[in-house]
């Protein structure tokens, strides 16, 4: 097994030179060593997290890398309603229990993901269910699920992805049809607070940096829910970054988000090299894509670093190494050559790693 590199002082850490430009100061970040990357938990000015699944905790190499780099773990799938809730409102939390136990046994704090999501639950919480039964089972699910881990979770994604895809409004879903567009969200936060009063409760969403209209709608929603009395304790931006967005767009969103005064979670960070379908052939070189990744990841890290310390909840990547990414797996995007995370499959630094380290250690 390759020996770990010596631990470096945070301020002295830079495994590769960073060329700065006026527009994209992180765009030229390049690795110059094949050594294992220095632990991210020693570099990031907040808990550094990644996702974990039950099959991964049986893999020694994954465990080694997670314990090397992480101080926080998010269950990637085991706490989603498609896994925890079955027909007849039967609950199964065994996989969730296993991931939470692994994290706690290894000194990692746990971030819960996710309680209420528009994408799941409609098979059981369907439109034919009487409204009184719907509301009662909704409350029971949240209180049972969240309460099961009372005092053991740092925070929860209580409501996930409530904003319409284009940012033009809020999503219509089975929850909103039964309990009201804002009502289902307020109710979820209230029930979660009753079940786990010390956890930080998050409103979580994606494409907030990528689509300014969606970011603005999300922040207005957070303000509205707070005015309605929802005990929101933090906001989560998933940060599945489009590496082609203009420089400065991430910074603008983070500055606007910070104005709410709530803790902010970079909750699902990745930055795909490959475009989704529906466009012209992608003629960018690998070097150009890597430069775009480094620029956007570095800008995000710099914007996170600029937050007051009390607002830096955690900095989490969706998967730790490239090989762990949902983008690579067959049940995800099935892109075996994708490289969208800070570490490669062997735990070495990708170019974006150096850009993030530069932002956090300068």
């Amino acid at each position: 097994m390759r020996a770990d590199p010596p631990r470096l002082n945070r301020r002295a850490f830079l495994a590769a030179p960073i060329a700065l430009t006026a527009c994209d100061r992180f765009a030229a970040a390049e690795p110059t060593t094949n050594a294992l990357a220095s632990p991210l938990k020693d570099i990031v000015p907040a808990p550094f997290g990644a996702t974990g699944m039950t099959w991964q905790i049986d893999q020694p190499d994954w465990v080694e890398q997670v314990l090397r780099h992480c101080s926080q773990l998010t269950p990637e799938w085991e706490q989603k309603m498609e896994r925890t809730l079955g027909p007849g409102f039967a609950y199964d939390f065994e996989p969730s229990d296993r991931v939470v136990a692994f994290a706690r046994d290894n000194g990692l704090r746990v971030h819960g993901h996710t309680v209420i999501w528009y994408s799941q639950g409609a098979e059981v919480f369907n439109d034919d269910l009487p409204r009184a039964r719907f509301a009662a089972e909704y409350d029971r699910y949240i209180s049972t699920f969240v309460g099961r881990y009372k005092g053991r979770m740092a925070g929860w994604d209580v409501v996930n992805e409530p904003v319409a895809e284009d940012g033009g409004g809020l999503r219509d879903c089975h929850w909103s049809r039964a309990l009201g567009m804002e009502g289902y969200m307020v109710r979820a936060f209230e029930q979660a607070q009753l079940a786990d009063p010390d956890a930080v409760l998050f409103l979580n969403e994606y494409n907030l940096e990528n689509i300014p209209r969606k970011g603005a709608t999300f922040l207005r929603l957070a303000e509205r829910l707070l005015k309605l009395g929802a005990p929101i304790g933090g906001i989560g931006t998933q940060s599945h970054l489009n590496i082609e967005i203009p420089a400065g767009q991430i910074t603008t969103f983070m500055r606007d988000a910070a104005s709410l005064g709530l803790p902010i979670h970079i909750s699902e960070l990745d930055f795909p090299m490959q475009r989704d379908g529906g466009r012209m052939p992608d003629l960018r070189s690998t070097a150009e894509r890597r430069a775009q990744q480094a620029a956007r990841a570095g800008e995000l890290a710099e914007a996170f670093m600029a937050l007051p310390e009390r607002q830096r909840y955690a900095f989490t990547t969706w998967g730790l190494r490239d090989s762990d990414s949902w983008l690579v797996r067959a049940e995800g995007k099935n892109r075996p050559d994708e490289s969208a995370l800070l570490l490669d499959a062997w735990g070495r630094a990708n170019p974006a790693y150096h850009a993030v380290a530069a932002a956090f250690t300068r």
Side-chain angles (χ1 to χ4, degrees):
M1 182 176 294
R2 180 179 301 165
D4 289 352
R7 180 161 298 190
L8 303 179
N9 178 274
R10 283 188 72 238
R11 293 294 170 186
F13 174 86
L14 275 183
I18 305 295
L20 305 183
T21 68
C23 294
D24 274 347
R25 63 176 63 89
F26 300 104
E30 291 290 346
T32 60
T33 176
N34 288 324
L36 294 178
S38 189
L40 281 156
K41 64 186 178 183
D42 294 343
I43 299 167
V44 178
F48 176 77
T51 53
M53 302 177 73
T54 49
W55 61 269
Q56 289 174 316
I57 65 180
D58 294 324
Q59 296 183 338
D61 62 327
W62 179 86
V63 172
E64 179 183 9
Q65 290 296 320
V66 164
L67 298 186
R68 174 181 177 79
H69 287 283
C70 296
S71 50
Q72 177 175 293
L73 194 67
T74 299
E76 184 171 333
W77 174 72
E78 282 76 1
Q79 293 185 336
K80 289 184 169 69
M81 193 174 282
E82 67 178 351
R83 184 62 190 86
T84 59
L85 182 65
F89 297 98
Y91 301 156
D92 181 3
F93 299 118
E94 189 276 332
S96 171
D97 289 348
R98 190 170 174 218
V99 175
V100 172
F102 166 83
R104 302 293 296 196
D105 289 348
N106 286 282
L108 305 175
R109 76 175 197 171
V110 191
H111 180 80
H113 175 83
T114 181
V115 184
I116 297 297
W117 185 20
Y118 80 91
S119 179
Q120 297 186 350
E123 297 83 2
V124 179
F125 285 97
N126 57 60
D127 292 340
D128 295 330
L129 194 68
R131 290 297 178 260
R133 174 80 187 280
F134 191 112
E137 294 292 354
Y138 185 84
D139 292 350
R140 185 169 75 93
Y141 177 78
I142 297 172
S143 63
T144 302
F145 177 30
V146 176
R148 184 179 188 87
Y149 305 104
K150 179 180 179 180
R152 293 194 286 161
M153 310 293 278
W156 288 94
D157 291 330
V158 176
V159 175
N160 193 48
E161 301 176 2
V163 179
E165 192 75 20
D166 65 357
L170 304 180
R171 290 186 187 272
D172 174 68
C173 60
H174 49 300
W175 310 122
S176 63
R177 289 192 296 271
L179 301 172
M181 187 62 77
E182 295 166 336
Y184 87 87
M185 298 185 227
V186 173
R187 190 178 191 123
F189 278 100
E190 290 174 342
Q191 291 297 319
Q193 184 183 55
L194 289 172
D196 194 0
D198 294 329
V200 184
L201 307 181
F202 283 83
L203 184 70
N204 192 50
E205 186 57 89
Y206 75 106
N207 271 347
L208 302 179
E209 303 94 343
N210 298 335
I211 305 175
R213 183 188 188 194
K214 189 168 187 178
T217 299
F218 174 81
L219 295 179
R220 287 195 300 270
L221 172 62
E223 289 181 312
R224 172 66 176 160
L225 294 177
L226 287 166
K227 289 178 181 177
L228 291 173
I232 298 174
I235 53 176
T237 176
Q238 294 181 16
S239 298
H240 296 291
L241 296 180
N242 176 356
I243 61 176
E244 297 181 86
I245 63 174
Q249 196 161 297
I250 294 169
T251 302
T252 297
F253 171 75
M254 290 291 286
R255 183 189 62 232
D256 293 343
S259 68
L260 294 179
L262 296 172
I264 295 175
H265 186 193
I266 306 301
S267 60
E268 303 184 18
L269 174 62
D270 56 24
F271 26 86
M273 296 180 71
Q274 300 179 37
R275 295 170 179 158
D276 285 328
R279 298 190 184 184
M280 298 292 290
D282 190 347
L283 301 180
R284 294 172 298 162
S285 67
T286 297
E288 182 180 358
R289 297 180 200 195
R290 285 299 197 187
Q292 289 175 328
Q293 287 182 313
R296 298 289 70 78
E299 182 183 344
L300 178 69
E302 187 173 67
F304 187 78
M305 185 68 177
L307 295 172
E309 184 176 359
R310 64 180 179 79
Q311 287 189 263
R312 298 182 209 141
Y313 172 80
F315 195 88
T316 296
T317 56
W318 204 246
L320 181 60
R321 306 162 300 176
D322 285 339
S323 52
D324 302 321
S325 174
W326 71 286
L327 297 164
V328 170
R329 298 197 303 262
E331 72 275 15
K333 292 287 189 177
N334 194 25
R335 300 174 181 171
D337 297 326
E338 183 63 88
S339 176
L341 292 168
L342 298 174
L343 303 173
D344 71 11
W346 296 272
R348 300 173 302 192
N350 282 328
Y353 172 101
H354 298 290
V356 167
F360 285 146
T361 58
R362 65 185 178 86

